[in-house]
Amino acid sequence: MKTPPPYPVSGRGPADHEVRDQIVAAATEHFSRYGYEKTTVSDLAKAVGYSKAYIYKFFASKQVIGEMICAACLQEIEAEVGAAIDGVDRPPEKLRRMFKAIVEASLRLFFQDRKLYEIAASAATERWQTALAYEGRIQKLLQGVLEEGRQSGDFERKTPLDETTMAIYLVIRQYLNPLLLQHNLDFAEEAPARLAGLVLRSLSP
């Protein structure tokens, strides 16, 4: 049985078809140059040398193409966060590294290309499935760290785990959500350490 992709998007045709990859690659370049909102499916068709009707055989809409591009960026952030805490023994240090990796990776990927940032902003505004899946997986990763901390005696156990997870997620969400991130750039350098420190004090048994 195949494992479903972590960031589901409703594409058409076989997922491994090389034409899909060509369209996504061309769309990434086109969005980077002209912006997501200003690009039409007709523009993409001209860029890849296919008819608009042919593109619709693989993608139901421009949004689906945008979701695939967005999913790739979000998977990169998630992988970086996972790598930052992998191999770390103590849950408090895992939490510190998680905060730091989220902020640094989000800043780099969301703002290295202002045009592609529009895709992430659209995903957050319109609550695309890719964005929702990403938020859910980060919450699950966070919950795992909190569970470890409770088992090791580093974190308090009185508050319901789901309540604690959501409260901490809301603290870091301002650096996960691109719409919120753009309003918190002035504090991005010091945010990971300060926020993690505050959260860890609140988790003290």
Side-chain angles (χ1 to χ4, degrees):
M1 180 181 295
K2 291 184 178 180
T3 302
Y7 299 91
V9 291
S10 53
R12 296 173 172 173
D16 58 350
H17 200 293
E18 77 173 40
V19 173
R20 289 174 65 91
D21 296 336
Q22 291 175 10
I23 294 172
V24 171
T28 302
E29 182 177 348
H30 213 84
F31 292 155
S32 180
R33 184 175 300 176
Y34 302 106
Y36 174 75
E37 295 297 337
K38 294 181 179 180
T39 300
T40 65
V41 175
S42 295
D43 294 330
L44 296 179
K46 292 177 182 177
V48 297
Y50 295 118
S51 68
K52 184 166 68 171
Y54 189 67
I55 288 182
Y56 278 127
K57 288 184 178 181
F58 296 91
F59 300 97
S61 65
K62 183 181 75 170
Q63 177 181 319
V64 176
I65 302 174
E67 287 200 63
M68 292 193 72
I69 296 171
C70 186
C73 290
L74 297 179
Q75 284 178 300
E76 188 174 337
I77 294 177
E78 185 182 338
E80 189 164 330
V81 173
I85 66 176
D86 188 38
V88 179
D89 293 328
R90 301 300 298 175
E93 181 59 23
K94 282 189 176 184
L95 196 63
R96 290 190 185 92
R97 293 194 182 194
M98 186 176 184
F99 271 60
K100 187 173 187 292
I102 284 174
V103 174
E104 291 180 350
S106 295
L107 286 172
R108 184 176 64 256
L109 290 177
F110 286 144
F111 292 100
Q112 66 182 356
D113 192 319
R114 293 296 299 178
K115 295 294 185 182
L116 289 182
Y117 165 78
E118 292 180 14
I119 301 177
S122 293
T125 301
E126 300 170 18
R127 305 297 288 167
W128 289 359
Q129 185 61 35
T130 48
L132 295 176
Y134 171 62
E135 291 178 7
R137 292 174 73 84
I138 291 295
Q139 289 176 33
K140 186 176 180 179
L141 186 62
L142 172 60
Q143 182 172 309
V145 173
L146 295 177
E147 287 178 325
E148 286 186 37
R150 290 186 172 202
Q151 292 171 5
S152 65
D154 289 298
F155 301 156
E156 62 90 13
R157 304 180 184 182
K158 294 181 180 180
T159 310
L161 181 61
D162 58 346
E163 182 180 322
T164 302
T165 300
M166 181 54 66
I168 297 174
Y169 174 75
L170 292 176
V171 171
I172 196 61
R173 185 171 181 263
Q174 60 189 313
Y175 291 98
L176 280 166
N177 185 303
L179 298 177
L180 301 176
L181 179 59
Q182 63 183 330
H183 300 297
N184 290 278
L185 297 178
D186 291 343
F187 303 100
E189 185 174 346
E190 59 184 290
R194 289 183 178 275
L195 293 178
L198 177 63
V199 167
L200 287 171
R201 287 192 292 274
S202 74
L203 291 174
S204 178

